[in-house]
Amino acid sequence: MTQVTSTGPFGTTTASAWDHSPAEFDFRSDTLTTPTRSMLAALESINLGDEVYSECTATQSLESRIASLLGKPSALFVLSGTMANQLALRALLVQPPHSILLDSRSHIQLHEAGGVASISQAVTVPAVPSNGKYLTLEDVHQHAILSNDVHFAPTRVISLENTIGGVIMPTEEVRRIGEWARGEGIKVHLDGARLWNACSVPEPSAELLGEYARHVDCVSVCFSKSLGAPVGSCIVGDKRTIANARHMRKAIGGGIRQAGILTAMARVGVEEVFFGGKLGWANAFAKVLAEKWTALGGGFTLPVDTNMLWLDLEGRGIDDGIWKEAIEEGGVRISGDRIVCHYRECSHVNYGSEGG
C-alpha cells in the first residue's frame, strides 16, 4: 500500500490510501466508498474458519447481528447486492409459471442482467409509481396478477426497493402492501441496499430497520453502499427462506471460505458508519448541494430525501455535453444528472457538529 510521510507543526505523520480515499471527489455512486483504517484493524483479530463449513465466527456474528437488527430469525452473508436479491427471490419462489411485481426503475429490473429469468425462470411485471416516487398499494392492485387464467403468470412475489433513487418509501406504505400481500398469499421482498440511508433520517434508528422488515418476508441490505465495506450484503428472513438461499448460493458458486476477511469489515461499517451517524453527514451534504443548486435556479426530478440528487438539467436549460465538460473541468466525477453523496465527501464540510 502506498504511504506518504509528511512533517508538520505536530510532528511527522504517515498517511496511506486508507486515509486518502479516491472516493473523495467521486459522486458517481455510494459504492465508491472505501474501507477505513478501523476496517483494516478489524482483520487483525478475526477467525479464519471456513464459512462454507459454517466455521467462521466473524461471519456468524455479523449474520446474527443483522438478523437481530431486522427482527428476523436468520441471515445469510453474500457477495453482492445483486446476489442477495437474486437468491432472495429464488428462495421465495416455488416453480414457474410465476411473476414478480416491481418498480419499473428498480435495480432488479434494470441492473441485474436479467437474473430473475435465468435463475428463477420468472417474468417481471414492472409498474410505474403513480406518485412518481415509490410504489403504493394502489399501484400493486393495478398490476398484480391474481387470476387463474392460463395466459398469465400469477404474481407470487412483490419486490419493493427502499430507498429508490434516494427517495424514502414510508413504513406505512410498506405495511399496507405487506398486509394485502399476506392476505393474497403473495410474498414480499424488500431490496434494502440503501435501507441504512432511509433509516438515518434524521438519526440512525435500529427500531426503524425492524419496522420496515416486520412487514415483508425477506430483506437484503448492502455493506458496500455508503458503509464503506469493500464487499457484501446480507439477506434476512425466516429459517426456511435463508436455508434455501444458502443452498442456492453454493449452487451458483457463491460459497466463501475465509469470509471473515470480508464480514469483519462489514461489521465495522454497520457499527462505525451507520450507528456512528456518518450517513447523516452524507444526507446533510446532499441538502447543502440541493440548496446551492436551487439558488442557481435549478430543480430536481425526484425529492432529495437522503444522499441522492437528481438534477433537472433540461428544466434548467443545460446541454448534457456542456454539463459533462464543466463537471470534468471541476475535478469531480458524477453520473449524468445524478449526484450520490457519501460520508467521505463530508470530511471538509462544517455542519456545526463534531462529525462535520
Side-chain angles (χ1 to χ4, degrees):
M1 182 178 294
T2 303
Q3 293 187 331
V4 178
T5 301
S6 60
T7 302
F10 301 103
T12 300
T13 59
T14 301
S16 72
W18 296 86
D19 301 294
H20 299 287
S21 169
E24 188 171 3
F25 300 106
D26 199 328
F27 295 80
R28 287 174 297 169
S29 175
D30 44 8
T31 59
L32 293 156
T33 49
T34 52
T36 64
R37 276 192 175 271
S38 299
M39 293 179 185
L40 177 64
L43 302 183
E44 294 291 330
S45 57
I46 63 168
N47 161 271
L48 291 174
D50 189 310
E51 201 278 324
V52 174
Y53 292 128
S54 298
E55 295 172 355
C56 178
T57 57
T59 300
Q60 292 168 358
S61 176
L62 174 69
E63 290 172 343
S64 177
R65 173 67 163 149
I66 299 303
S68 177
L69 278 175
L70 291 163
K72 297 292 187 186
S74 193
L76 177 68
F77 179 79
V78 300
L79 289 170
S80 71
T82 294
M83 182 179 284
N85 285 332
Q86 294 301 320
L87 292 180
L89 293 171
R90 176 62 271 182
L92 292 175
L93 292 165
V94 180
Q95 67 178 47
H98 44 212
S99 64
I100 301 165
L101 194 161
L102 40 61
D103 193 307
S104 61
R105 307 159 300 161
S106 67
H107 196 273
I108 291 169
Q109 176 71 10
L110 299 179
H111 302 294
E112 298 190 4
V116 292
S118 57
I119 295 173
S120 295
Q121 295 179 287
V123 62
T124 59
V125 178
V128 177
S130 55
N131 61 18
K133 297 182 289 186
Y134 51 79
L135 289 181
T136 64
L137 179 58
E138 289 69 30
D139 297 323
V140 170
H141 284 163
Q142 184 177 352
H143 292 87
I145 301 171
L146 305 178
S147 168
N148 290 322
D149 190 321
V150 295
H151 296 90
F152 306 108
T155 302
R156 300 301 187 205
V157 173
I158 298 168
S159 182
L160 307 175
E161 188 170 331
N162 195 21
T163 67
I164 183 160
V167 176
I168 296 174
M169 185 175 190
T171 54
E172 174 60 16
E173 203 59 57
V174 177
R175 181 195 64 77
R176 294 178 71 221
I177 293 172
E179 287 183 354
W180 177 84
R182 200 171 298 119
E184 297 292 340
I186 298 172
K187 300 293 186 181
V188 182
H189 169 60
L190 176 60
D191 177 357
R194 293 184 173 90
L195 191 60
W196 307 113
N197 298 83
C199 295
S200 292
V201 179
E203 296 178 347
S205 171
E207 290 76 17
L208 193 53
L209 284 170
E211 179 66 13
Y212 275 114
R214 189 162 66 89
H215 304 299
V216 301
D217 295 283
C218 67
V219 185
S220 62
V221 291
C222 189
F223 305 117
S224 62
K225 289 185 176 72
S226 287
L227 295 188
V231 173
S233 289
C234 255
I235 314 165
V236 299
D238 62 31
K239 290 185 178 181
R240 181 176 179 178
T241 299
I242 298 306
N244 289 344
R246 183 181 295 275
H247 206 152
M248 183 55 66
R249 184 189 68 174
K250 178 62 176 173
I252 64 172
I256 315 166
R257 297 303 176 177
Q258 287 72 45
I261 293 171
L262 303 175
T263 53
M265 289 201 252
R267 180 65 181 268
V268 172
V270 173
E271 309 300 344
E272 181 183 86
V273 181
F274 176 66
F275 282 108
K278 293 183 179 180
L279 295 184
W281 305 359
N283 296 339
F285 189 53
K287 293 294 186 183
V288 170
L289 291 180
E291 290 172 3
K292 292 184 179 297
W293 176 248
T294 301
L296 293 171
F300 304 92
T301 56
L302 284 173
V304 183
D305 286 350
T306 54
N307 64 325
M308 287 192 192
L309 303 94
W310 293 86
L311 309 183
D312 185 1
L313 297 180
E314 183 178 352
R316 186 62 179 82
I318 298 176
D319 177 78
D320 288 345
I322 294 174
W323 171 253
K324 181 179 178 181
E325 183 178 340
I327 290 298
E328 290 175 352
E329 287 180 359
V332 298
R333 305 177 77 181
I334 68 171
S335 180
D337 59 353
R338 186 183 80 164
I339 299 175
V340 186
C341 302
H342 44 90
Y343 73 94
R344 290 290 186 170
E345 275 88 44
C346 299
S347 57
H348 304 305
V349 182
N350 184 4
Y351 301 118
S353 68
E354 66 177 30

